[in-house]
Amino acid sequence: MRAFDHDTVQSAEEAIAALASGGSSTMLIAGGADLLSLMKSDLVAPARLIDLKPARDLRGISVQPDGSVRIGALTTLTEIERDDALAERLPILRAAVLDAATPQIRNIATVGGNLMQRTRCWYFRGPYTCWQKGGDWCFARGGENKYHAIFDQSPCVSAHPSDLAPALLALDASVAIQGPGGQRVIPLDALLRPPTDERRHETTLEPSELIVAVTIPAQPDGARGAYLKMMERHAWAYALVSAAVQLAIQDNAVTRARVILGGVANIPYRVEAVEAYITGQALTTELAGAAADLAIVGATPLARNQYKVSLARELVRRAVLLAAGMDWQ
Ligand SMILES: Cc1cc2nc3c(=O)[nH]c(=O)nc-3n(C[C@H](O)[C@H](O)[C@H](O)COP(=O)(O)OP(=O)(O)OC[C@H]3O[C@@H](n4cnc5c(N)ncnc54)[C@H](O)[C@@H]3O)c2cc1C
Ligand code: SF4
């Protein structure tokens, strides 16, 4: 690990000023759960870290007058897990963070850092200059790709590691971003984007910008959700595949559906075909099975991850039924 300066800031505004004065070798640090391991592996080498932890305006969970919920970027996964009122209002969030990492990591891991974490692809984390790191080739595409994507979104086949992001996307969350020119609010799906030749990163955040908070709009009447995650072991494991489903059901019919898969693409993968298929319908086990078939249309599994296709289908089937309060067996 290389030497670096470490400064703390007391507010989002101070953080933006510190980023502006520090230039490209300055980075933000929150819990450090991802950044410190990237630094130890020499994958990033900031000359200066801006520690956000004392910035109180980035913390906290609050319900706004319009019924939306604001979660500050520095809020930890444990704080989400332990907030009973939040779990009552948006149960999918507690379900998603409960399966993330370990209790110790959830104590330090923040919402902003979780959305900004880099891929767990072993070539990326190792000493290989693969495409995502500015090289010419994706080594996983023809190499060891057991944990990689089954939907092709870019030259890179990494799978997005976050549990929180699919759940937030299922809730139509937006992100407040502060930069030198002020604050802007964008849908979360405009922050998380597959990498491109020009931007070899899974997010569109500029280096001069900061995530301030995520906001979840008031959910429609009758809304309910489910988050399911398949892991190799039941703790301290990233999702092989996960499914976040949020439904609104009125008079027995689905009036709105969001279906997002994790662990299958560069970013959480929204399956609009499933959403359209079940909207307007009364859910039955047969309908959920037919909808789940649509979730895997277009999948292009690699040599070692074909198992993810049937996993994705089954998790969507179960999550749709669970979200509707039905037995998935
Ligand atoms: C062993 C292990 C297992 C894990 N398992 C899971 C899992 O199962 N599911 C899961 O979802 N995650 C998992 N994680 C990932 C973990 O949840 C993330 O690393 C963590 O949430 C990152 O948050 P942090 O606050 O520590 O971010 P940091 O490590 O401090 O920062 C990560 C990145 O985010 C940037 N950043 C941080 N805050 C902001 C902000 N407010 N605005 C802009 N940029 C910001 C930093 O500059 C850095 O680039 C695991 C991590 C470990 C180490
Ligand atoms: S999957 Fe992405 S991160 Fe992994 S080797 Fe390929 S380009 Fe690199």
Side-chain angles (χ1 to χ4, degrees):
M1 197 165 183
R2 299 170 197 238
F4 58 88
D5 291 331
H6 179 265
D7 293 316
T8 53
V9 288
Q10 306 297 323
S11 65
E13 203 146 316
E14 279 187 32
I16 293 303
L19 279 178
S21 68
S24 60
S25 64
T26 301
M27 285 187 81
L28 302 171
I29 184 165
D34 195 34
L35 186 60
L36 291 177
S37 74
L38 292 169
M39 289 171 68
K40 285 180 200 163
S41 307
D42 216 13
L43 296 174
V44 294
R48 183 178 175 220
L49 287 184
I50 307 300
D51 192 339
L52 296 173
K53 281 189 282 295
R56 298 177 75 85
D57 57 346
L58 296 175
R59 288 197 175 275
I61 301 172
S62 54
V63 179
Q64 307 297 300
D66 64 357
S68 62
V69 176
R70 180 192 185 276
I71 305 180
L74 264 188
T75 306
T76 64
L77 303 191
T78 298
E79 285 165 335
I80 291 179
E81 177 188 333
R82 293 202 179 147
D83 190 318
D84 291 335
L86 182 69
E88 175 115 351
R89 189 179 278 262
L90 304 168
I92 190 173
L93 284 182
R94 177 180 278 173
V97 298
L98 263 179
D99 271 342
T102 63
Q104 292 86 348
I105 292 168
R106 295 199 292 273
N107 284 343
I108 58 165
T110 65
V111 169
N114 191 275
L115 296 177
M116 293 300 295
Q117 64 177 301
R118 300 307 309 271
T119 171
R120 303 306 304 182
C121 170
W122 34 41
Y123 296 104
F124 181 88
R125 297 274 164 171
Y128 308 99
T129 309
C130 68
W131 181 83
Q132 171 106 235
K133 281 153 79 177
D136 293 329
W137 306 107
C138 169
F139 301 125
R141 208 171 260 282
E144 290 299 331
N145 46 42
K146 178 178 174 188
Y147 299 117
H148 289 72
I150 55 168
F151 291 99
D152 221 354
Q153 294 184 313
S154 75
C156 166
V157 291
S158 64
H160 202 269
S162 171
D163 286 304
L164 186 62
L168 287 173
L169 284 163
L171 293 168
D172 285 342
S174 59
V175 191
I177 292 172
Q178 192 152 334
Q183 206 172 105
R184 64 192 173 105
V185 177
I186 59 169
L188 178 55
D189 70 1
L191 175 73
L192 301 176
R193 303 304 308 159
T196 62
D197 272 327
E198 297 71 37
R199 174 183 47 73
R200 308 243 174 139
H201 199 291
E202 305 86 344
T203 81
T204 57
L205 196 79
E206 296 292 336
S208 59
E209 292 181 318
L210 164 83
I211 299 174
V212 174
V214 296
T215 299
I216 297 151
Q219 299 296 297
D221 287 347
R224 44 216 297 181
Y227 183 80
L228 293 177
K229 174 179 181 180
M230 192 60 78
M231 299 177 265
E232 271 189 328
R233 54 177 187 267
H234 198 66
W236 200 346
Y238 289 90
L240 299 171
V241 178
S242 64
V245 172
Q246 180 80 357
L247 303 178
I249 298 181
Q250 276 181 327
D251 300 329
N252 211 30
V254 176
T255 54
R256 177 184 165 283
R258 291 288 180 271
V259 180
I260 317 284
L261 284 166
V264 298
N266 295 163
I267 56 168
Y269 187 79
R270 181 170 171 195
V271 217
E272 288 179 68
V274 176
E275 297 171 2
Y277 187 75
I278 60 178
T279 301
Q281 309 256 35
L283 266 179
T284 61
T285 353
E286 292 70 33
L287 189 86
D293 288 340
L294 298 173
I296 52 174
V297 171
T300 52
L302 304 160
R304 292 180 169 78
N305 68 4
Q306 299 193 0
Y307 71 97
K308 283 196 178 191
V309 177
S310 46
L311 261 190
R313 184 201 172 278
E314 182 57 14
L315 281 195
V316 167
R317 190 187 75 84
R318 291 183 188 187
V320 164
L321 290 171
L322 262 182
M326 295 167 71
D327 189 357
W328 54 260
Q329 282 170 335

